[in-house]
Amino acid sequence: MDLDRLLNPRTIAFVGGRHAELAIAQCDALGYEGEIWPVHPTRETVTGRPAVRSVADLPGPPDAAFVAVNRYETVEVVTELAKLGAGGAVCYASGFAEAGPEGQALQQQLVDHDMPVIGPNCYGTINTTSGAALWPDVQGCRRLEGRRGAALVTQSGNIALNLTMNTRGLDFTHVISLGNQAGVRIEDCIAALAADPTVAAIGVHAEAIIDSIAFADAALKAHTNQTPIVMLKTGVSEASAAIAASHTAAIAKPADVYQALFDRYSIITVDSVNQLAATLSFLVTVGPLPGNRLVSLSCSGGEASLLADRAAHHDVVFEPFAPEEARDIDAALDGKVAVTNPLDYHTFIWDDGSKLTACFTAALADTADAGLLVLDWPTSGDDRSWFPTLEAIIAAQKTTGTPTVVAASLAENMPAAVRDRLHEAGIAAAYSVDEALAAVAGAARAGQHLERPPPEIHTTPLPGMRVSRVLSEGTAKTMLAEAGIAVPRGHRGRIDALSAVDLRFPIVAKASGVAHKTDVGGVIVGIADSVALQEAVDRLAVLSDEVLIEEQITDAVAELLVTVRREPPIGNVLVLGSGGALVELLGDTVTAILPLSAVDVAAMIERLRIGPMVAGHRGRPAADIGAIVDVVARLAKLPADRPQIVEIEINPLMATPQSAVAVDALITLATEEASHD
């Protein structure tokens, strides 16, 4: 979708009354120099400009139009604009899909043409590089000329408006509020903004991703242009189906699936609006970081302890200073301070610019990917003694080149003048310790992600899947065996017709056709001989007419959960985790979007809490990682070969030094195969 005319208009039509006037006022406030064409059915002028009666009376097709009339008239006006050849429209009115069936029908009419439409039920767009504002309310942006900034794309008009009002020096090149996303979607905006050289980073607030493939394609465009994306995801999506029979359904959350999508395509995720603003500001001022090693500087032991504690909640590390650094820091502090990271440099060098500069320069010299100084400015009284610290960190950053952020413990302790001085020096300002840590962690992820080769585009689940039935364990294992996945040798049948003649003891006996068998005593392990086997079969007779007996895997290094499931609208996902009876209690899982490479799967295993056990903990044998990866590869292929499969779960997959064996399995099928259209 080509959004160039809509986002960078030279001519704008404003259709409507009061809200159109407000939008024109925002253009005037930002110094828009293009042509403004008011449209009103009865007024001769709008904001002192000549008005035409209808869209048909416009002097030509506008590049963009702001439409602020009721929902029925909005459909008519947009249709006329499309016929005229306009570059796109922002639709302010509400009462569309969010209002029920009638509104849904109107919304469909709104986009039944090729012209880009933003909204409805949205605030619209601001372009501070040109001053174009199709925006019917106040906004806090300032004109940007010759400088880079952040772009913001959000479904919420209020979140967008509030962020424009920030007083932390975060400047936006573009602000886009999408509302219902009837036409233009988040992914369309990302793709357009990623190609804009004025955009240093893209911030996104999303309640849902409608088209995950288009989103992935847009993210790859941003990756190609080295433009980081920072995502604040709110809300959760409904699962594609209620797969209550599986363990995975109890532990895999929709948020995990979205996070897997964002991880795959190098999207930085944050938890709050504050973190979104802080990370964008850091990326605009400083840029991505090569790593997450952080040096912290403060003149208080309490602040140093606070930094160490809060770092546990963010992906940053405080490594000890190198010997040469520690020596130089110690010399600058006259040997009076314990040289640790985080560093409490004490107050005895306060107001001594040369010693502060020497200390900060030594601390930032080598160990860190980034430096953090905690500096709260006084809100009253004489502040002259604070300036040596400010100038010392600026000098140290200039000498070492180490990316740096200065954080106040409280937002009110970061004056605008101090912030501006830092930004002029290329140093980021943060309005809390947690914001600073989140920004550093996000910038480190951006730097690491952008250095990686772009991933393969994932595939989406076929639509129209409805859960029909769950295959028995025996049937599921037969399907797995046909796919080349190892399963234990065994027999399944009626209790009175079983024989274990060709099976080696110990044996496992299971009640057939019973979900969550371990919860009801439906699994008996360690059966050592025929007598014990008969006793076990008799006990299972109260649960099922059929029993499954198998050779027991006795040399397992670890028990894993491996699941492949469809998660519309995002994609087919792999859930890998600790398996066995405690799977739901431990919740030790990692989720990723398919397809995956062998390296990706191995990395997922390492991220598990039982990863060290799989790798051979404290001299114990290591599992065959290659065998586990092979099972995942074969499992991932099954839904493509058999479109009726909704979910396949192996729990546990017994990982041994020589193999990986599916000891229990569950396969859920759909009522109908999804259309390939």
Side-chain angles (χ1 to χ4, degrees):
M1 184 180 293
D2 186 359
L3 301 182
D4 184 61
R5 289 175 66 196
L6 178 56
L7 297 183
N8 304 286
R10 291 173 295 180
T11 56
I12 310 174
F14 290 88
V15 184
R18 184 171 67 90
H19 291 103
E21 286 183 300
L22 291 171
I24 293 172
Q26 298 311 314
C27 284
D28 290 339
L30 287 171
Y32 176 63
E33 297 175 357
E35 295 185 42
I36 291 176
W37 300 338
V39 179
H40 195 279
T42 62
R43 293 169 57 178
E44 296 293 331
T45 62
V46 175
T47 66
R49 295 173 171 88
V52 298
R53 300 293 186 184
S54 69
V55 168
D57 297 324
L58 288 169
D63 290 326
F66 179 78
V67 182
V69 294
N70 70 50
R71 59 178 180 165
Y72 302 105
E73 292 177 344
T74 294
V75 173
E76 295 173 3
V77 168
V78 167
T79 300
E80 292 176 13
L81 286 165
K83 290 178 180 177
L84 190 64
V90 168
C91 299
Y92 176 61
S94 58
F96 287 89
E98 78 280 5
E102 182 187 2
Q104 290 175 355
L106 284 172
Q107 183 162 302
Q108 185 56 48
Q109 295 176 43
L110 195 64
V111 294
D112 274 345
H113 43 68
D114 294 332
M115 184 182 73
V117 172
I118 290 179
N121 189 28
C122 74
Y123 266 17
T125 68
I126 301 170
N127 182 337
T128 66
T129 64
S130 68
L134 288 77
W135 190 270
D137 205 339
V138 296
Q139 49 82 25
C141 293
R142 58 178 177 172
R143 185 71 179 266
L144 280 187
E145 292 181 295
R147 291 186 295 125
R148 302 182 78 202
L152 177 66
V153 183
T154 172
Q155 289 181 252
S156 167
N158 252 17
I159 287 178
L161 188 154
N162 294 342
L163 277 166
T164 70
M165 295 293 181
N166 79 85
T167 58
R168 58 179 67 210
L170 171 59
D171 288 321
F172 293 105
T173 60
H174 303 76
V175 176
I176 306 174
S177 162
L178 292 173
N180 290 9
Q181 294 193 88
V184 177
R185 297 174 176 175
I186 286 172
E187 50 268 23
D188 302 316
C189 296
I190 291 174
L193 295 168
D196 191 321
T198 69
V199 175
I202 302 171
V204 180
H205 159 252
E207 296 166 18
I209 302 299
I210 297 173
D211 184 340
S212 68
I213 295 297
F215 178 83
D217 186 63
L220 292 181
K221 287 183 172 66
H223 185 283
T224 299
N225 287 282
Q226 296 287 285
T227 306
I229 302 171
V230 186
M231 170 69 69
L232 173 61
K233 172 71 176 65
T234 58
V236 295
S237 68
E238 294 183 3
S240 60
I243 312 172
S246 74
H247 291 280
T248 311
I251 58 176
K253 303 175 181 62
D256 296 336
V257 178
Y258 272 104
Q259 187 62 53
L261 177 73
F262 300 148
D263 287 343
R264 183 180 187 90
Y265 295 106
S266 304
I267 310 296
I268 306 162
T269 55
V270 293
D271 297 327
S272 68
V273 173
N274 282 3
Q275 289 186 7
L276 176 64
T279 305
L280 289 173
S281 182
F282 189 99
L283 289 168
V284 171
T285 307
V286 177
L289 297 173
N292 65 345
R293 300 173 306 160
L294 183 61
V295 163
S296 169
L297 306 165
S298 64
C299 64
S300 161
E303 289 172 345
S305 296
L306 176 64
L307 262 296
D309 289 344
R310 296 309 302 165
H313 301 272
H314 303 276
D315 187 18
V316 298
V317 294
F318 293 113
E319 292 187 353
F321 291 108
E324 306 81 27
E325 286 179 291
R327 181 196 63 219
D328 292 343
I329 295 169
D330 188 59
L333 297 174
D334 299 329
K336 298 177 181 179
V337 172
V339 179
T340 60
N341 185 23
L343 176 67
D344 168 17
Y345 58 84
H346 288 224
T347 56
F348 69 87
I349 62 169
W350 187 257
D351 206 17
D352 187 331
S354 61
K355 285 189 177 295
L356 286 165
T357 301
C359 175
F360 296 169
T361 302
L364 299 181
D366 184 47
T367 295
D369 294 306
L372 165 62
L373 171 68
V374 180
L375 182 64
D376 284 77
W377 210 266
T379 57
S380 63
D382 187 352
D383 66 353
R384 284 178 294 180
S385 65
W386 270 257
F387 280 96
T389 305
L390 178 64
E391 296 304 322
I393 195 65
I394 291 172
Q397 191 279 330
K398 183 177 181 181
T399 298
T400 63
T402 299
T404 302
V405 56
V406 174
S409 299
L410 296 173
E412 52 267 36
N413 297 346
M414 176 65 72
V418 173
R419 176 204 69 207
D420 291 345
R421 176 73 179 101
L422 292 168
H423 284 180
E424 289 169 6
I427 295 176
Y431 290 76
S432 73
V433 165
D434 276 285
E435 284 187 25
L437 294 172
V440 170
R445 287 196 296 274
Q448 292 161 352
H449 288 330
L450 294 175
E451 288 297 317
R452 299 174 187 167
E456 177 184 353
I457 288 280
H458 68 286
T459 55
T460 54
L462 299 172
M465 307 300 286
R466 295 290 185 273
V467 172
S468 171
R469 62 193 178 96
V470 177
L471 298 182
S472 69
E473 179 184 347
T475 303
K477 283 182 173 175
T478 298
M479 190 178 292
L480 294 181
E482 290 172 352
I485 296 172
V487 299
R489 294 179 65 241
H491 295 296
R492 180 185 59 161
R494 291 187 56 82
I495 286 176
D496 55 5
L498 280 174
S499 172
V501 173
D502 63 337
L503 298 183
R504 292 189 298 269
F505 290 99
I507 282 176
V508 177
K510 305 177 184 180
S512 185
V514 177
H516 301 302
K517 294 182 284 293
T518 55
D519 296 342
V520 295
V523 179
I524 300 172
V525 301
I527 300 171
D529 52 40
S530 298
V531 174
L533 176 60
Q534 187 58 54
E535 292 174 352
V537 169
D538 292 342
R539 287 165 55 191
L540 296 176
V542 299
L543 299 175
S544 174
D545 292 333
E546 286 192 344
V547 70
L548 176 65
I549 59 173
E550 296 177 326
E551 294 179 357
Q552 183 170 334
I553 306 301
T554 58
D555 59 343
V557 171
E559 298 183 16
L560 296 173
L561 166 78
V562 185
T563 299
V564 169
R565 60 189 289 166
R566 303 183 189 274
E567 286 283 357
I570 301 303
N572 295 334
V573 304
L574 168 71
V575 180
L576 188 62
S578 301
L582 298 179
V583 56
E584 292 173 19
L585 181 62
L586 294 178
D588 177 26
T589 62
V590 180
T591 303
I593 305 291
L594 293 168
L596 296 165
S597 68
V599 173
D600 294 331
V601 176
M604 291 176 70
I605 296 170
E606 290 180 3
R607 290 169 57 192
L608 295 172
R609 291 202 295 271
I610 65 165
M613 185 182 299
V614 176
H617 184 57
R618 292 190 174 182
R620 293 184 60 189
D624 185 342
I625 301 296
I628 300 171
V629 170
D630 182 68
V631 168
V632 170
R634 294 176 184 276
L635 206 64
K637 191 173 180 293
L638 272 174
D641 295 340
R642 301 173 184 254
Q644 73 273 26
I645 292 176
V646 174
E647 179 186 41
I648 313 170
E649 177 183 279
I650 299 175
N651 181 40
L653 179 73
M654 292 293 194
T656 80
Q658 297 84 28
S659 63
V661 184
V663 169
D664 199 352
L666 177 150
I667 295 179
T668 306
L669 303 180
T671 55
E672 59 188 38
E673 291 191 14
S675 169
H676 289 266
D677 295 338

